Amino acid sequence: MPLTKHAFSTDGSVDEYILSNSRGTSVYVTTWGARLTRFIIADKNSKLRDIVSGFETYEQWQDSLLIDDPYFGATIGRVAGRIHPCDSVTIAGQHCVLPEIQPNKVCLHGGHQGFDKKIFTATDVSAEHGVAAVKMVYVSPDGEEGFPGEIELSVTYSLGDDDSLAISYHGELTKGTESVFNPTNHTYWNLTGFEELTVHNHICSLPATHVMATHSDHPMIPTGQLQSVIGTALDFASQPRKYGDRIGEFDNEIMRGYDHAYVTSTMPTDHLRLVACVWSELSGIRLTVMTDQPVLVMYTGNWISDKLVGKYGVRYGNHSAVALETQRFTNAVNIPEYRDQVLLHPGGAFVHKVVFKLDTVK
């Protein structure tokens, strides 16, 4: 259960941890944003492929932010997804004004400087888990990005010998009377290791038969109602199919592809459930996602700049990879029936676990 580390930034302020297993698989995680930066695994022909988006160094990552910020590999928080309207959110009895990241009063992924931009403190917890594991901790101060209360978050990455990567979140309100919390991981997966530059040929199967419906005049903001996907371009439940089969049906000016909150249960559960399975016929690599959370946001990277050049000289762009973000209901703080799921109070604890299980199929 080897865990090693090296400097990820030239000044030594950011470290990168490498989790390895007996099968030769390795996962890289940095203290900057508790980000997953590499996932190197053998394909069906024993060829090693790095199947996630990212950049070689911390400095290259910083340079990339001047071009575009797709949140590659990042821990997202305090709240994943969109909050609307962000200028009139009530938390702890306070009228809170959150940063407008997108037009029309939309706060996205925790604000201007969310968890994805913070330096976490890392601890080797391999002995506790029996496999290579690292725990990343960050304390978000009261008022950060407009959110009340101080929250201590831990994110633990552990790599099993069966090529399963578990990510476990634990959050506590350490100061204040109430806050809102809904973190996720924003890794983008391309199971060919970017030999194919889009995921159009990736095959996807989702058990969810409903997504969160959105406002007609604000199509990225959920209403709280559920909408059936059966028979539509959003339907991956009736049978597995390639993303490219119907991705061209989305409006090129608004959506460009999949960016939808698939509902797998009404609330968090006390056990893991299968919520997604994606695989590549070219590499034979299959990704199965299991979680205790009620929502899976599937995003096919519809707005990634083609000016971003990442690891191995790969030029990214629209649909170059897919993010599978497990979380609680989007915009829940503004939806009465889901609001309690994202509220954190003294003495309570937020827990969230997701497992990304990799294997190969011929």
Side-chain angles (χ1 to χ4, degrees), residues 22-34:
S22 60
R23 299 169 63 92
T25 299
S26 55
V27 170
Y28 293 56
V29 184
T30 70
T31 52
W32 178 64

Side-chain angles (χ1 to χ4, degrees), residues 131-161:
V131 296
V134 62
K135 181 167 77 172
M136 304 273 183
V137 175
Y138 175 69
V139 177
S140 178
D142 179 25
E144 185 171 64
E145 295 296 315
F147 293 99
E150 178 185 271
I151 291 179
E152 179 174 311
L153 164 70
S154 69
V155 185
T156 301
Y157 288 84
S158 59
L159 177 64
D161 283 327

Side-chain angles (χ1 to χ4, degrees), residues 226-243:
L226 302 186
Q227 169 186 324
S228 174
V229 302
I230 301 302
T232 74
L234 302 178
D235 184 5
F236 292 89
S238 296
Q239 63 180 15
R241 59 181 176 82
K242 293 181 179 181
Y243 288 120

Side-chain angles (χ1 to χ4, degrees), residues 84-85 212-225 227 254 331 334-335:
H84 171 83
M212 296 187 73
T214 58
H215 291 275
S216 58
D217 61 343
H218 213 321
M220 304 303 293
I221 305 301
T223 63
Q225 302 299 309
Q227 169 186 324
I254 300 175
N331 200 33
N334 288 324
I335 302 175

Side-chain angles (χ1 to χ4, degrees), residues 172-313:
E172 294 185 3
L173 185 66
T174 46
K175 291 181 183 176
T177 61
E178 183 178 80
S179 194
V180 60
F181 199 53
N182 187 17
T184 193
N185 176 271
H186 214 290
T187 295
Y188 289 81
W189 306 86
N190 180 313
L191 302 178
T192 73
F194 297 91
E195 181 176 342
E196 293 180 342
L197 294 179
T198 74
V199 293
H200 290 179
N201 287 329
H202 282 41
I203 302 168
C204 177
S205 174
L206 305 177
T209 58
H210 289 77
V211 294
M212 296 187 73
T214 58
H215 291 275
S216 58
D217 61 343
H218 213 321
M220 304 303 293
I221 305 301
T223 63
Q225 302 299 309
L226 302 186
Q227 169 186 324
S228 174
V229 302
I230 301 302
T232 74
L234 302 178
D235 184 5
F236 292 89
S238 296
Q239 63 180 15
R241 59 181 176 82
K242 293 181 179 181
Y243 288 120
D245 287 349
R246 302 189 69 173
I247 202 168
E249 295 181 27
F250 295 101
D251 184 285
N252 199 45
E253 296 302 317
I254 300 175
M255 297 297 295
R256 294 188 179 180
Y258 295 96
D259 189 2
H260 299 82
Y262 284 81
V263 179
T264 64
S265 67
T266 57
M267 62 185 63
T269 59
D270 60 2
H271 60 279
L272 298 177
R273 294 164 292 101
L274 187 150
V275 295
C277 188
V278 180
W279 64 96
S280 162
E281 293 177 316
L282 185 150
S283 69
I285 296 175
R286 177 172 58 187
L287 170 64
T288 302
V289 184
M290 295 165 285
T291 188
D292 54 9
Q293 298 301 291
V295 170
L296 172 78
V297 173
M298 185 169 72
Y299 175 53
T300 47
N302 310 323
W303 300 88
I304 299 176
S305 171
D306 61 6
K307 294 182 173 59
L308 290 180
V309 178
K311 296 170 294 179
Y312 321 108

